[in-house]
Amino acid sequence: MIAFRVDINKDIASGHIMRCMTIAEKVRAAGEEVLFISGDEYCSSFLTPKSFKYVITNSPADNWDSEIDLMKSIIKEYSIKCLFVDSYIVSDTYLKELNTVCKIAFIDDFLTKQLDVSLLLAPTQSRSLDFVNDLYKDTNTKLLLGKDYLIIRDEFLDSKDCGPDAKASNINFSDKGILITTGGSDKYHFTLGIIKEILANSALLKNKYFVIIGSLNDDYDEIKALVKDCDSFVLLKNISNMGYYMHNSFYAISAGGNTVYELLCCKVALSTIALSDDQVALGKRLASMNILNYEGDCRQDTKEVIAKCINTLEDISQNGINSKMQSAVEAYTDGLGATRIAKALIEL
């Protein structure tokens, strides 16, 4: 059995559990049993519809070390051979201790130090591959590095495989729109803020906007009231097929993280905003490669980030998308990373 240890809650966005589920789908398709392990019941709304089994640890969200003994017993009880860990707060001790009882695979979005794990996954473009290879050159850790291991769900690979969400089947897609998403939560109220600015700009209201409202976004009712009389906005909450809306977008504004890679797989040019340190590094690096527009860190000044996004939208409305950027977007990834990762986990 291969297990996935991951959390989702009001402080941890949906990107972590979504990318774990993408890999888990490939593992399950290869005939291996899969189990999810999470700190609380927030995970159920994601895992149950996909028929994934899960165990709840009831651990403090900011202290996984308290569950080490429990995790060892779960690993033994379920005969887990490989545990895939996806967390920003996990400690070196946690990884090292559990790596003594089963193979630990870890996705590292920060890449600041060497970790005691059996497999390290680093698809992020925030660091050079040479740096990571040097970091682990004297270890037995198996490395999966770079964009060949980007975790992309099948719905983003081919627009022919995408269908409309039942709740939005009446949307006319004769013209492509601009997608706005911050993931499962939006504690800096970016979505609400940018919608207010777009509503105040008559030139930008000529576009169509697909606004993805995360399940943990507390601003939904206020946003809904703001746009109820404006045909430029399509609000989408708890949608079943994000890929459909990406394929029907000509531009996007997205929080950094895996959604950025999904948009690139759909060949959508974009602006990215940062909600965490790794998203800052990712945005700056991809912007330096002319692959996207990095608009800044919401933790520092959300209003400034919104203003930069508005400036970008105004430029695109007047001049279109930079042709070199569009070419870089279209050549970026084949989207088959999840299959490669699943194979490596099974071999591990």
Side-chain angles (χ1 to χ4, degrees):
M1 174 176 282
I2 293 175
F4 294 80
R5 176 64 180 93
V6 62
D7 278 349
I8 177 172
N9 52 50
K10 286 188 175 293
D11 295 316
I12 300 174
S14 59
H16 296 272
I17 196 167
M18 293 301 290
R19 64 186 182 183
C20 285
M21 288 172 61
T22 300
I23 300 168
E25 290 276 15
K26 300 300 182 183
V27 171
R28 186 164 62 179
E32 292 287 331
E33 285 191 88
V34 170
L35 178 71
F36 276 81
I37 305 168
S38 196
D40 52 49
E41 290 285 349
Y42 275 111
C43 68
S44 62
S45 61
F46 290 84
L47 300 175
T48 300
K50 297 294 184 179
S51 300
F52 283 119
K53 296 178 181 178
Y54 62 89
V55 172
I56 302 300
T57 64
N58 293 312
S59 306
D62 60 350
N63 181 18
W64 283 20
D65 283 2
S66 64
E67 70 174 31
I68 289 176
D69 289 340
L70 173 61
M71 284 297 300
K72 288 181 177 179
S73 67
I74 291 173
I75 289 168
K76 182 178 180 181
E77 178 182 354
Y78 288 91
S79 299
I80 295 168
K81 304 301 181 186
C82 175
L83 177 68
F84 185 96
V85 179
D86 186 346
S87 169
Y88 288 166
I89 58 92
V90 67
S91 72
D92 298 8
T93 299
Y94 185 95
L95 297 173
K96 184 177 181 179
E97 283 284 320
L98 295 188
N99 202 39
T100 64
V101 293
C102 75
K103 300 288 187 180
I104 296 297
F106 181 65
I107 180 166
D108 193 346
D109 293 312
F110 296 99
L111 298 169
T112 57
K113 56 188 174 181
Q114 185 188 109
L115 299 169
D116 190 346
V117 294
S118 298
L119 181 149
L120 184 101
L121 170 62
T124 179
Q125 303 297 284
S126 60
R127 288 275 194 171
S128 73
L129 301 187
D130 289 342
F131 171 86
V132 185
N133 278 310
D134 288 344
L135 195 62
Y136 285 88
K137 65 180 179 181
D138 296 321
T139 74
N140 294 320
T141 302
K142 182 176 179 60
L143 301 178
L144 305 182
L145 308 178
K147 63 183 182 179
D148 283 346
Y149 297 97
L150 292 172
I151 306 165
I152 308 294
R153 302 202 301 275
D154 287 348
E155 68 188 80
F156 303 104
L157 300 182
D158 189 347
S159 60
K160 294 178 182 178
D161 294 334
C162 296
D165 189 270
K167 300 173 187 176
S169 59
N170 61 335
I171 296 175
N172 181 2
F173 284 111
S174 57
D175 297 315
K176 289 194 172 185
I178 296 171
L179 185 142
I180 300 174
T181 177
T182 62
S185 61
D186 188 1
K187 67 179 181 179
Y188 301 103
H189 310 287
F190 172 85
T191 306
L192 176 62
I194 197 169
I195 287 176
K196 288 180 177 179
E197 294 299 318
I198 293 171
L199 285 168
N201 190 321
S202 59
L204 294 183
L205 287 174
K206 295 177 182 178
N207 296 313
K208 180 189 300 179
Y209 298 90
F210 306 131
V211 183
I212 312 298
I213 307 294
S215 60
L216 303 177
N217 190 320
D218 294 329
D219 297 327
Y220 176 68
D221 290 338
E222 187 172 353
I223 292 171
K224 186 176 180 180
L226 274 175
V227 305
K228 64 184 177 72
D229 297 321
C230 183
D231 294 336
S232 297
F233 293 92
V234 178
L235 294 189
L236 299 160
K237 188 175 183 181
N238 298 325
I239 59 173
S240 61
N241 194 344
M242 175 77 92
Y244 185 65
Y245 305 103
M246 288 188 181
H247 282 292
N248 282 284
S249 298
F250 71 88
Y251 198 77
I253 299 173
S254 171
N258 213 57
T259 304
V260 168
Y261 301 130
E262 292 163 351
L263 285 160
L264 291 173
C265 190
C266 292
K267 316 305 179 189
V268 180
L270 74 146
S271 289
T272 186
I273 63 173
L275 305 174
S276 59
D277 289 344
D278 63 307
Q279 293 181 5
V280 173
L282 173 65
K284 288 182 176 180
R285 184 170 175 81
L286 292 185
S288 72
M289 299 163 66
N290 198 35
I291 291 170
L292 50 71
N293 295 304
Y294 173 63
E295 310 292 8
D297 188 344
C298 285
R299 299 171 302 172
Q300 303 298 321
D301 191 337
T302 302
K303 289 184 178 180
E304 181 181 351
V305 174
I306 290 171
K308 289 181 178 179
C309 289
I310 292 296
N311 287 339
T312 299
L313 291 179
E314 289 175 336
D315 180 63
I316 290 171
S317 295
Q318 293 174 9
N319 304 310
I321 296 169
N322 179 283
S323 59
K324 289 184 178 180
M325 178 176 288
Q326 188 63 51
S327 296
V329 167
E330 292 177 359
Y332 189 69
T333 179
D334 66 5
L336 301 178
T339 298
R340 298 184 182 107
I341 296 165
K343 180 180 179 183
L345 294 179
I346 293 169
E347 291 175 349
L348 189 67

